[in-house]
């Protein structure tokens, strides 16, 4: 290799997968690497359109508050652009109806702001901004088939058709079905240990017309629970539509026959969604998606990894999507990658790979514990039910019961579920006292917290959008 070639390799990072995680990773890498190439096997649309490589993109997606904040930090102005394109900003405690373990979380105005939009719109907005960054190239229709490495260092990727692309750093963002562990095995590295939890869920999704202001909410989230294993996620999206996803276990999945789909919603906790979809005009036929297992790849436990290998997004950890954590966890991981790069890039031999995986495990921990802890309440779900999980689940059951009356407890839950505070917030003395004191609904009304008028608030959001 000539010195020019070797310096150009040192300046080059490759991101495999040009979806949400890959685009955010490329944004971060562009601060350190003069050349960043994103490779995706799909032909990526320039407009917000569904595509083959992201079949889950047709189902309800919402962006949690922390994800929204990081998107804005990394790509300033993206929120305003998305809202201009029809995305719906939402106060997640006031504009969204939450049923947790059968309890309706009491609504009030809050600082927990999320963004509701279809996944193709979110991806297209990120992609147009990342594609415009100096030094970033997006190559589409390119299938990566493996990695290359020499003397313990990543040296590039192999592409279908025998081409290789040299690079000093490679980020695997190939999503749920990724082959990162197999690619590492081809280079002689042991596959990472995996945590796997099978929740056995099926999603069915249908879109409806949304008449702004006709409902006093912008979304309905119904958590499935052992006593009632039917759940739902319904969120407003751009284009004046509702995206409605019904969730069931695989032995009794939500139907995809029109009519039967709407009837199934009668099984949900709460009547709001059932009533709404029986009144609204459907605009698509229902479609189905089988949720694969939640898989967490424990790269931080690998004894050996090639320096310059990173995994981020669903390829590192994919969850039962019930809590809408995927895009936000990818954003938080990208932010951690930026922190690691600032402390020393791979070209400086600074142990970047080990530092990244060690720290990102803490990022993933929170989301993983929330989702898997909930999944393990179902007796048919296999997994380690530690004493900690059992105690925490009993405490959360009580918390949800109290949050039906006490808005401060509901705010604590949503703040943690949106990653605005760590899980310790739920057991802080103030919250714990309210939870333990509030053993029945009558004694738990929040002192001083005013119940907002949700109809007015949702209508105001719609008015802002029309303006
Ligand atoms: C039904 C469902 C609902 C969800 N709802 C939410 C929600 O409400 N909120 C939320 O935050 N998250 C949600 N998620 C999770 C969210 O969709 C993902 O976490 C997020 O899209 C990040 O994915 P990713 O970029 O890691 O991977 P993906 O989006 O899966 O993208 C992987 C990319 O890699 C490309 N690729 C794969 N293999 C190769 C290869 N060999 N060579 C080249 N390219 C390759 C693919 O074409 C694709 O573009 C949901 C997920 C599902 C399944």
């Amino acid at each position: 290799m000539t010195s020019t070639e070797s310096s150009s390799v040192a300046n080059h990072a490759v991101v495999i997968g040009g979806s949400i995680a890959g685009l955010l990773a490329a944004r971060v890498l562009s601060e350190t690497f003069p050349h960043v190439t994103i490779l995706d096997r799909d032909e990526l649309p320039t407009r917000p359109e569904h595509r083959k490589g992201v079949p889950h993109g047709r189902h309800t997606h919402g962006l949690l508050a922390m994800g929204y904040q990081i998107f804005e930090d990394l790509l300033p102005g993206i929120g305003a652009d998305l809202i201009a394109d029809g995305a719906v900003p939402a106060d997640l405690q006031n504009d969204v109806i939450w049923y947790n373990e059968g309890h309706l979380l009491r609504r009030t105005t809050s600082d927990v702001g999320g963004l509701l939009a279809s996944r193709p719109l979110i991806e297209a907005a990120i992609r147009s901004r990342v594609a415009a960054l100096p030094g970033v190239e997006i190559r589409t229709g390119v299938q990566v088939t493996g990695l290359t490495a020499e003397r313990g260092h990543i040296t590039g990727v192999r592409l279908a058709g025998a081409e290789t692309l040299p690079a000093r750093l490679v980020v695997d963002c190939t999503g749920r079905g990724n082959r990162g562990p197999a690619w590492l095995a081809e280079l002689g590295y042991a596959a990472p240990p995996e945590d796997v939890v099978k929740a056995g869920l099926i999603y069915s999704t249908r879109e409806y017309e949304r008449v702004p202001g006709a409902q006093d909410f912008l979304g309905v989230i119904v958590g499935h629970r052992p006593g009632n294993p039917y759940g739902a996620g319904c969120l407003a999206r751009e284009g004046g539509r509702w995206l409605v996803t019904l969730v069931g276990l695989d032995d009794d999945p939500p139907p995809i026959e029109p009519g039967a789909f709407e009837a199934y919603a009668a099984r949900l906790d709460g009547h709001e969604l059932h009533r709404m979809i029986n009144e609204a005009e459907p605009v698509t036929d229902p479609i189905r998606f089988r949720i694969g297992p939640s898989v967490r790849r424990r790269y931080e436990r690998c004894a050996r990894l090639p320096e310059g290998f990173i995994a981020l997004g669903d390829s590192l950890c994919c969850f039962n999507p019930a809590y809408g954590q995927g895009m936000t966890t990818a954003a938080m991981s990208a932010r951690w990658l930026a922190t690691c790069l600032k402390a020393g890039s791979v070209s400086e031999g600074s142990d970047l790979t080990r530092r990244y995986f060690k720290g990102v495990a803490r990022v993933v921990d929170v989301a993983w514990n929330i989702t898997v802890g909930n999944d393990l309440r179902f007796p048919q779900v296999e997994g380690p039910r530690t004493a900690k999980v059992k105690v925490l689940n009993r405490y959360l059951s009580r918390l949800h019961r109290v949050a039906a009356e006490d808005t401060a407890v509901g705010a604590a839950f949503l703040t943690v579920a949106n990653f605005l505070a760590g899980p310790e917030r739920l057991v802080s003395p103030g919250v714990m006292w309210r939870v333990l004191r509030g053993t029945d609904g009558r004694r738990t009304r929040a002192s001083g917290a005013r119940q907002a008028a949700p109809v007015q608030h949702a209508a105001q959001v719609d008015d802002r959008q029309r303006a």
Side-chain angles (χ1 to χ4, degrees):
M1 194 184 282
T2 67
S3 65
T4 322
E5 278 167 341
S6 86
S7 86
S8 74
V9 171
N11 288 336
H12 188 214
V14 162
V15 178
I16 318 171
S19 186
I20 306 275
L23 291 165
L24 295 175
R27 157 65 188 83
V28 160
L29 292 171
S30 71
E31 283 186 13
T32 304
F33 287 86
H35 303 292
V36 179
T37 307
I38 302 172
L39 305 169
D40 202 290
R41 62 185 175 196
D42 270 7
E43 294 300 339
L44 300 176
T46 49
R47 298 201 31 77
E49 283 167 15
H50 294 296
R51 60 189 177 91
K52 192 168 161 248
V54 184
H56 44 288
R58 294 180 181 274
H59 298 269
T60 303
H61 272 68
L63 184 58
L64 298 178
M66 178 52 86
Y68 191 9
Q69 286 180 13
I70 298 176
F71 279 27
E72 197 59 47
D73 287 347
L74 293 177
L75 304 162
I78 191 170
D81 284 358
L82 278 161
I83 291 166
D85 284 339
V88 183
D91 172 339
L92 296 181
Q93 192 164 2
N94 194 46
D95 297 332
V96 176
I97 291 174
W98 296 83
Y99 281 95
N100 293 312
E101 297 196 31
H103 302 287
L104 174 61
L105 187 140
R106 189 171 172 88
R107 292 165 76 181
T108 191
T109 48
S110 79
D111 295 330
V112 186
L115 193 64
L116 316 179
S118 72
R119 197 185 170 299
L121 184 72
I122 295 172
E123 186 182 309
I126 304 176
R127 186 154 52 242
S128 68
R129 283 168 169 264
V130 171
L133 293 171
V136 173
E137 183 191 1
I138 303 183
R139 286 180 60 186
T140 64
V142 179
Q143 165 108 18
V144 173
T145 55
L147 305 171
T148 60
E150 266 174 35
R151 293 189 296 275
H153 269 263
I154 285 290
T155 54
V157 292
R158 285 192 287 110
L159 311 181
E163 186 190 344
T164 57
L165 189 61
R168 179 54 59 99
L169 182 76
V170 172
V171 187
D172 176 7
C173 294
T174 53
R176 279 184 175 247
N178 85 99
R179 297 193 23 83
W183 292 341
L184 288 174
E186 285 163 11
L187 298 175
Y189 293 90
E194 289 183 350
D195 295 342
V196 180
V197 173
K198 294 179 187 155
L201 293 178
I202 310 275
Y203 275 31
S204 294
T205 297
R206 190 171 203 193
E207 296 188 28
Y208 298 82
E209 244 177 46
R210 184 171 77 90
V211 179
Q215 307 292 340
D216 74 348
F217 53 79
L218 295 173
V220 183
I221 308 285
V222 184
H224 72 304
R225 59 192 171 94
N228 184 3
Y230 307 102
C234 156
L235 296 175
R237 52 154 275 193
E238 74 278 7
R241 290 190 176 187
W242 293 109
L243 257 166
V244 179
T245 296
L246 300 181
V247 183
L249 297 177
D250 49 13
D251 58 358
D252 187 12
I256 47 169
E257 295 75 26
F261 181 88
E262 286 75 15
Y264 190 89
R267 306 174 186 196
L268 298 170
D269 289 328
H271 61 277
E272 292 87 351
L273 188 55
H274 180 237
R275 195 196 60 224
M276 197 269 281
I277 63 174
N278 278 284
E279 288 168 2
E281 196 59 42
V283 285
T284 62
D285 282 334
I287 49 159
R288 189 172 275 172
F289 189 87
R290 177 179 290 277
I291 306 293
S294 299
V295 181
R296 179 173 184 183
R297 301 203 163 83
R298 297 288 200 157
Y299 286 106
E300 76 278 10
R301 294 185 183 163
C302 287
R304 285 172 65 243
L305 281 175
E307 181 62 6
F309 172 78
I310 298 288
L312 195 151
D314 284 12
S315 71
L316 176 66
C317 183
C318 60
F319 315 93
N320 166 358
Y323 286 91
Q325 300 166 317
M327 294 188 290
T328 295
T329 306
M332 290 165 75
S333 303
R335 193 177 56 177
W336 170 245
L337 177 60
T339 305
C340 292
L341 286 165
K342 280 194 188 110
S345 178
V346 68
S347 54
E348 292 146 27
S350 64
D351 211 11
L352 177 78
T353 292
R354 194 192 53 80
R355 283 187 292 118
Y356 168 78
F357 281 120
K358 197 169 167 215
V360 85
R362 289 194 292 273
V363 172
V364 170
D365 264 346
V366 177
W368 180 262
N369 290 341
I370 291 176
T371 319
V372 164
N374 191 48
D375 290 341
L376 288 174
R377 293 188 309 120
F378 290 80
Q380 68 275 28
V381 175
E382 290 173 22
R385 286 172 180 76
T386 59
K388 190 175 154 199
V389 166
K390 287 183 192 160
V391 169
L392 196 63
N393 278 341
R394 272 205 296 278
Y395 179 74
L396 283 175
S397 294
R398 194 167 183 139
L399 181 146
H400 290 313
R401 196 164 70 232
V402 173
E405 290 291 329
D406 188 333
T407 53
V409 170
F413 170 74
L414 287 178
T415 303
V416 171
N418 279 269
F419 300 97
L420 297 176
E424 61 282 356
R425 172 78 187 275
L426 296 180
V427 288
S428 63
V431 175
M432 204 175 205
W433 183 75
R434 300 179 90 105
V435 170
L436 297 180
R437 182 193 59 154
T439 47
D440 67 53
R442 283 167 292 136
R443 284 194 288 145
T444 57
R445 195 169 293 275
S447 54
R450 214 159 42 84
Q451 179 78 353
V455 175
Q456 190 188 357
H457 190 77
Q460 282 168 348
V461 171
D462 285 324
D463 287 345
R464 273 206 305 276
Q465 290 195 298
R466 278 198 297 271

